[in-house]
């Protein structure tokens, strides 16, 4: 079956610290992988995506690389800002069907 | 335009009321979704419509009744809800069979 396992939070970092949020997946076939971000009181926004092995998704200083050998899609950012405080969800979509599978979410708080 | 709109933004209803949530997208997406999200949890899939036909119903109680009148609109009709149904209700859309989901801002529902 399909599933996503995501690093438990909450995570608290100082401004300009390095961020890693771990995400591993189980999937049949060749899934597409996504990171979504949710700010308080809002819906989910697509942060970045990768559709095949070794693809690197990037946006707003965040990066994640689709690693088929380790079934991982870890989110990284070199220098976080207070405005990055949000909940981050890792997700996959199998290459068959229209269903998406979400990790449990990781809450990030960045303090000045 | 990558926007999914939802109305209303907030809704308070009694357990005997009937109300509807509305969702609209104009991206030509033929897959549309309803999710329920509780605080600090990932979105929980309720329904998927594919080409205006209900394709996935995740064993949702019958007090929730979805409707897809056309390829741009998705409704969720609510009747005789319980206090535990209070949550953020998210609508999303995607291309059929591939690509990312786009989420609306959600409707914050409170059942009294």
């Amino acid at each position: 079956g399909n599933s996503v396992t995501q690093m438990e939070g909450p995570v608290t970092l100082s401004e300009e610290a390095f961020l890693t949020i771990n995400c591993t997946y189980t999937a049949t076939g060749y899934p597409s992988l996504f990171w979504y971000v949710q700010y308080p009181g809002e819906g989910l926004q697509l942060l970045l995506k990768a559709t095949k092995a070794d693809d690197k998704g990037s946006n707003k200083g965040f990066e994640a690389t689709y690693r088929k050998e380790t079934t991982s899609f870890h989110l990284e950012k070199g220098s976080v800002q207070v405005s990055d405080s949000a909940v981050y969800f890792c997700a996959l979509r199998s290459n068959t069907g229209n269903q998406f599978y979400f990790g449990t979410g990781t809450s990030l708080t960045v303090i000045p | 335009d990558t926007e999914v709109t939802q109305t209303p933004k907030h809704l308070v209803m009694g357990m005997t009321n009937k109300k509807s949530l509305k969702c609209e997208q104009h991206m030509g997406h033929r897959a549309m979704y309803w999710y329920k999200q509780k605080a600090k949890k990932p979105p929980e899939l309720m329904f998927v419509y594919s080409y205006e036909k209900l394709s996935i119903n995740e064993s949702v109680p019958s007090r929730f009744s979805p409707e897809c009148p056309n390829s741009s609109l998705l409704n969720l009709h609510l009747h005789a809800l319980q206090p535990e149904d209070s949550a953020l209700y998210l609508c999303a859309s995607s291309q059929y069979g591939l690509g990312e989901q786009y989420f609306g801002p959600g409707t914050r529902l409170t059942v009294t």
Side-chain angles (χ1 to χ4, degrees):
Chain A
N2 297 302
S3 67
V4 175
T5 301
Q6 191 174 338
M7 173 177 148
E8 291 286 332
V11 173
T12 302
L13 294 174
S14 297
E15 208 165 19
E16 300 184 3
F18 185 85
L19 169 70
T20 300
I21 301 177
N22 291 336
C23 172
T24 57
Y25 68 90
T26 303
T28 52
Y30 304 96
S32 294
L33 301 173
F34 309 92
W35 276 100
Y36 284 88
V37 59
Q38 187 174 32
Y39 299 100
E42 297 185 10
L44 279 69
Q45 299 175 25
L46 178 69
L47 182 59
L48 52 84
K49 66 178 181 181
T51 58
K52 61 183 189 298
D54 300 325
D55 268 2
K56 178 187 280 189
S58 61
N59 185 27
K60 299 180 182 178
F62 291 90
E63 293 183 341
T65 301
Y66 187 163
R67 302 279 188 208
K68 191 165 169 47
E69 63 277 13
T70 54
T71 61
S72 65
F73 192 55
H74 304 321
L75 182 68
E76 295 183 337
K77 187 176 186 184
S79 176
V80 293
Q81 305 301 311
V82 171
S83 57
D84 294 325
S85 298
V87 179
Y88 293 81
F89 292 98
C90 185
L92 76 80
R93 178 178 197 168
S94 91
N95 61 337
T96 59
N98 288 312
Q99 198 160 349
F100 288 72
Y101 300 84
F102 287 87
T104 52
T106 302
S107 175
L108 170 67
T109 301
V110 180
I111 54 178
Chain B
D1 180 11
T2 57
E3 189 179 22
V4 176
T5 59
Q6 288 188 246
T7 56
K9 191 169 175 61
H10 300 278
L11 178 62
V12 179
M13 59 186 290
M15 290 189 282
T16 58
N17 291 158
K18 285 185 182 181
K19 297 286 186 183
S20 296
L21 309 185
K22 296 185 183 303
C23 172
E24 189 166 6
Q25 57 88 14
H26 294 287
M27 294 176 277
H29 290 167
R30 304 310 292 271
M32 296 186 76
Y33 308 75
W34 280 116
Y35 289 90
K36 173 183 178 180
Q37 187 182 28
K38 291 281 205 179
K40 301 187 187 301
K41 298 289 188 184
E44 181 183 331
L45 183 65
M46 300 174 72
F47 304 103
V48 181
Y49 273 83
S50 303
Y51 284 89
E52 297 89 70
K53 294 194 187 315
L54 184 64
S55 57
I56 297 177
N57 177 343
E58 292 286 357
S59 303
V60 178
S62 59
R63 58 186 184 268
F64 295 91
S65 175
E67 178 195 22
C68 190
N70 61 53
S71 59
S72 299
L73 293 174
L74 188 65
N75 298 322
L76 186 63
H77 303 297
L78 314 173
H79 173 56
L81 295 191
Q82 304 297 308
E84 60 265 27
D85 296 322
S86 298
L88 182 67
Y89 287 83
L90 294 165
C91 175
S93 71
S94 74
Q95 291 184 59
Y96 184 83
L98 79 163
E100 62 271 24
Q101 280 182 319
Y102 292 88
F103 283 83
T107 294
R108 174 71 61 188
L109 174 67
T110 303
V111 181
T112 61

